[in-house]
Amino acid sequence: MSDKLSKNELSPWPHRFAVSLVCATFPLIWVGGLVTTYDAGMAVPDWPSTYGYNLFLYPWQTWLFGPWDLFIEHGHRLLGALVGLITIGFVWSVWRHDSRRWMRGASLAVLGLVLLQGGLGGARVLMDQRQLAMIHGCVGPAFFGFGVALAVMTSNLWRAGITKPQTTPEMAGKLKRLSLTTLILIYVQLVLGAQVRHIPVTASPGTFRILVFFHLLMAIIVTVHIAQVYRSILRIYGSAPALRLPGYALGGLICIQISLGVQTWVVKYGWPAFLTESDFAAGHTINASSLSQSLTVTAHVAVGSLILAFAVMLYTRAARLFRTETTALGSGALMIGLAT
Amino acid sequence: MELPTRKAMKLSVIRHWFVSAVAVVALAGPMAGCSRNEATFNRNEAYVKNQERLTKETFSAERKADLDEVLSGLFGTPDRPIVPALGDIDVASVMDATKLHFAAGPVGRDERGRARGLYREHCAHCHGVTGDGGGPTALFLNPYPRDYRRGTFKFKSTPRQSKPTHEDLKRILIEGIPDTAMPSFRALPDNEIDALIHYVRYLSIRGESERSLVQYALFELEPADEEANIEEERLFDLTSGNRSDRAAELREYVGAIVQKWLGAEAEATAVAPPSWLANGAELSHEREVELLKHGRDLFYGKVAACVKCHGDSAIGDGQTTDYDDWAKELEPTVPGALDEYLALGRFVFPPRNVRPRNLRMGHYRGGRKPVDIYWRIFNGIDGTPMPALSEVLKQEGEEKIGVTHDDIWALVYYVRSLPYESISQPVAVEAAYQRERQ
């Protein structure tokens, strides 16, 4: 496929839809995180209706002023519906304005994913299966990352192209590979995190211990990878603004994320016993369901997704900037990368 | 082009395999969990083992099945709890069926929009669905989450061996336990706290009944005798004629446990103020210094002997190798025994030493009010080595070895002054302590 896109294809609409999709998905992930934090997943026992009402017709007074768990669960459903509608708009605009065949395919794929995600959410309620909640929690960030990729691929940067940063092909290849590995590692880390978070109360303490161990190990590995990405962007690609933003964001967010992770542990389980001799630990009482506890825990979840989003942004942009001429648009490799 | 070195190649291969392996574990894990749906109560294998070792008999697989059968007949399942029918005993004031329904089961709301599953939402990831302290997070926590099945609770107003009052449990749920993983649930509304307390009692009574039944089976029932060709007497025998007799007998065991809980409310130790504060008297500074000296003498003296455990400078470094009663059941000091217990599986944890409190920190797990400390010193801390001075109580002026009510108050004063006492210059009431009391 050629790079020269006709005027018709340069419509801003697909990009606008993709960006709004990303912007609506981030709060959706927050609210979804709150649903789990407050264990509100079963606050509404039916689906797709809410206590027998159509989703959009549920009395808003009861929603806004009723119980808190019902408020967030129903709010999560409404936001989810909004994201679904934006996705439909995106598909429509792509089919109308974008002639790239793979892009059209991708738009259908994202629609499929949002339907799957909604269905998983519904099945979690209907079957009251916490394991489904966990899978639902893993597909969420994947969808978010997919949205970011679509936003990049419908952007001007992608279509008009920007002057390539000056590097050797080896360096370019290295950065591409490194950012793809980082992306995959981050996703695996999110899945591990979801398992730590959604551990069934019937699970054995040994299982939980293994999960926590892997989650911590992976935190170290991801951090090392992001540090490498950061370093190479700082050193070599300082001149490429398109890579600078996601690179710096990753560096900053991983620091925030690690401190949120530590805080999450402390607000839920307290300081480790070896700190008992220090005054702050001995006087510390955990406060269950306090606002600071639920915000910390949910922030840890949401920032995880944000890190994934920037990793996707970095990788897709790098893939585009350092496209090897032989692999047409690199889209095949991209799709494989995203599917992982 | 620069060729990658062999070392770099190797590293990248290792990295590739590692990533794949972790990805597989991470993605396959959730699938494995899918099958188990209905929550069940775990059997108290550690206690069965403990009693087997004690009686040198075996508790056969049939008996274990019987035990499960009887227990679910009496108490139901985690999703459908039953309040055992115990004749004219007022079970409902200890465990109320409606409140249990509210606290039990999976988290969510029922068809009528009423909340359910409070226990699994707030407690089970630490205390376990069974209330055996075997929730998934348990191994990370020190002290381990409480195993309710012994029916032993630490921080209460009642004597050792007695049950806590409703107020005691409520205080724990609202205040939490500082310096442990036990959270404060002050954010929950009163009716939810109330339901949770009923559910904790339910789990505790169920657990204690299980222990009683294990003993009953081992001590009261005929064991199998292969030589005489006698089959083991069953705990729960559908074919035998005297089933209703047996059922009545088992209910008596449960009834006795419920009675202990019913009695708790009347057993709370009433605490009168010390004589020097009677009739609204004021405490002079000189008298206070005197009292602290007296408290200190008691602390280091032969009778109260707090120093033995809490250490020469009260930082909790005296007797540090002892265990609490939960850990003692695993016989940690008997060579070889512990391995037998740990082999029982995932819900039996390696025992840890219980450490006497560092009293110079000024943080108390059971509450910091003077009366809380009084209760701790007078009644001891049940389930731990911390002894009760009520054992050596004497009346004022009585000629025997012991402590008086006022002595205990002097100890309370002294304990509360410890964070402010300088180790080199004991019993100088310092400004900070003065300020705090005002």
Side-chain angles (χ1 to χ4, degrees), chain A residues 67-97:
Chain A
W68 170 244
D69 57 348
L70 187 138
F71 173 72
I72 46 183
E73 168 65 10
H74 187 64
H76 183 55
R77 291 174 178 202
L78 284 175
L79 255 175
L82 176 69
V83 166
L85 291 177
I86 298 177
T87 312
I88 293 173
F90 175 72
V91 173
W92 169 80
S93 68
V94 165
W95 280 74
R96 201 178 139 81
H97 296 297

Side-chain angles (χ1 to χ4, degrees), chain A residues 103-127:
Chain A
M103 191 66 210
R104 292 181 165 191
S107 76
L108 290 182
V110 78
L111 183 64
L113 201 58
V114 83
L115 291 177
L116 171 75
Q117 178 68 341
L120 274 174
R124 180 260 178 277
V125 172
L126 293 181
M127 294 155 63

Side-chain angles (χ1 to χ4, degrees), chain A residues 285-306:
Chain A
T285 311
I286 299 163
N287 200 343
S289 319
S290 66
L291 197 63
S292 61
Q293 187 191 64
S294 42
L295 284 184
T296 310
V297 177
T298 314
H300 187 56
V301 171
V303 171
S305 286
L306 205 55

Side-chain angles (χ1 to χ4, degrees), chain B residues 70-181:
Chain B
V70 171
L71 281 170
S72 65
L74 284 167
F75 292 95
T77 64
D79 288 350
R80 288 172 206 290
I82 301 175
V83 177
L86 300 175
D88 38 338
I89 298 176
D90 176 21
V91 198
S93 66
V94 175
M95 32 182 184
D96 177 90
T98 327
K99 289 176 183 159
L100 295 188
H101 172 82
F102 190 20
V107 187
R109 286 173 183 271
D110 62 14
E111 317 72 46
R112 289 199 268 155
R114 293 174 311 181
R116 274 209 77 189
L118 294 171
Y119 180 77
R120 265 181 246 175
E121 174 173 355
H122 298 296
C123 323
H125 53 283
C126 292
H127 292 283
V129 170
T130 315
D132 55 357
T137 63
L139 277 172
F140 284 107
L141 309 182
N142 190 0
Y144 291 128
R146 175 78 67 261
D147 172 355
Y148 308 133
R149 297 171 306 176
R150 275 184 63 90
T152 306
F153 294 82
K154 288 184 184 174
F155 306 111
K156 57 189 183 194
S157 56
T158 53
R160 264 173 178 269
Q161 315 291 340
S162 294
K163 303 298 170 198
T165 64
H166 191 86
E167 213 36 55
D168 290 335
L169 289 176
K170 188 166 175 180
R171 206 198 62 81
I172 288 292
L173 287 201
I174 289 185
E175 303 292 331
I177 306 182
D179 194 25
T180 77

Side-chain angles (χ1 to χ4, degrees), chain B residues 12-28:
Chain B
S12 96
V13 170
I14 291 174
R15 185 199 269 175
H16 172 82
W17 280 107
F18 179 79
V19 171
S20 321
V22 174
V24 167
V25 171
L27 297 170

